[in-house]
Amino acid sequence: MRRAGLPGLVLALIAGSAWAEVTLTFYAHPGARVRDGNLLFPHAFVQAKGTLDETGETVDWAAGFTARNPGPQLLFARGEGVVELPNPRYVGEGKPYLRRTVSDADYRAVRARADWWNSPEGWVYDLRRRNCITFIADLARLAGLQTAGEPSMKPGTFLEATAALNPEAAWREDEVVPEATPDAVTEPEAAPTPGGR
């Protein structure tokens, strides 16, 4: 009985590790509309879903970079930025452009870089030169993708051009968008911002 069980256990462990993967999906939110009394602006963000190969830990995370204090002052001056976690409804309204499966090490590098953008060294927000698109481009390069020219204020246009540079990672309409779970949200959604949401 023990002999028969050991090969099955080994096969299950091998198969389980082969299925573990984390996929990054890069989205643009259309914005330019009013929802719940808030004006939504175009925005770019990334979502990570899957399972870490090394630990079996479930990954369900999304992030975008936006202004901490939105307002017209951002048209004339830099401000403080913040990495925010969009809620499932917001993610569901986004349009996916790129999808890339990454190693555990690459996923951790992406998360560490997102944390850096939230630090005193990385949180400068500039509507025209250092916005949600700059953030997404930085993370996409860490994931091994080529990125289109920056700076930009049009998330959809930027991601479309980036997808053209990475045809193997470009989103196909026949793919199914993974559903975001409520556990992915650890912070409330902030008010909409120019260049953000």
Side-chain angles (χ1 to χ4, degrees):
M1 184 74 151
R2 287 184 186 166
R3 285 185 187 167
L6 185 58
L9 177 61
V10 170
L11 286 174
L13 289 173
I14 292 169
S17 66
W19 292 331
E21 61 183 28
V22 174
T23 301
L24 301 176
T25 305
F26 294 87
Y27 290 86
H29 195 281
R33 62 195 178 88
V34 176
R35 186 182 76 197
D36 300 331
N38 293 315
L39 178 60
L40 298 178
F41 289 88
H43 187 51
F45 59 94
V46 63
Q47 180 185 45
K49 288 186 73 75
T51 306
L52 292 177
D53 187 45
E54 295 168 358
T55 64
E57 175 189 349
T58 298
V59 172
D60 189 354
W61 171 81
F65 184 70
T66 190
R68 185 178 294 273
N69 298 304
Q73 76 279 3
L74 295 174
L75 295 170
F76 309 104
R78 293 174 149 195
E80 187 177 314
V82 62
V83 174
E84 290 191 333
L85 310 179
N87 68 35
R89 178 181 179 189
Y90 192 89
V91 172
E93 294 171 345
K95 178 179 178 183
Y97 285 86
L98 291 151
R99 173 172 277 182
R100 177 76 155 212
T101 300
V102 295
S103 68
D104 289 9
D106 287 344
Y107 168 69
R108 288 191 178 100
V110 164
R111 287 294 301 265
R113 190 63 176 172
D115 289 343
W116 178 83
W117 277 77
N118 230 9
S119 73
E121 294 83 26
W123 67 20
V124 173
Y125 181 89
D126 184 315
L127 178 62
R128 292 180 179 86
R129 294 177 188 85
R130 197 167 191 280
N131 54 27
C132 63
I133 296 167
T134 318
F135 171 76
I136 288 302
D138 190 22
L139 300 188
R141 286 189 292 270
L142 275 176
L145 297 169
Q146 295 180 34
T147 57
E150 299 167 64
S152 173
M153 290 178 57
K154 297 180 178 178
T157 301
F158 169 78
L159 284 172
E160 188 173 289
T162 297
L165 294 173
N166 302 275
E168 75 291 348
W171 182 264
R172 294 185 325 269
E173 289 303 319
D174 60 342
E175 293 187 75
V176 177
V177 179
E179 290 184 28
T181 62
D183 295 342
V185 180
T186 58
E187 296 178 16
E189 185 173 351
T193 63
R197 43 189 163 131

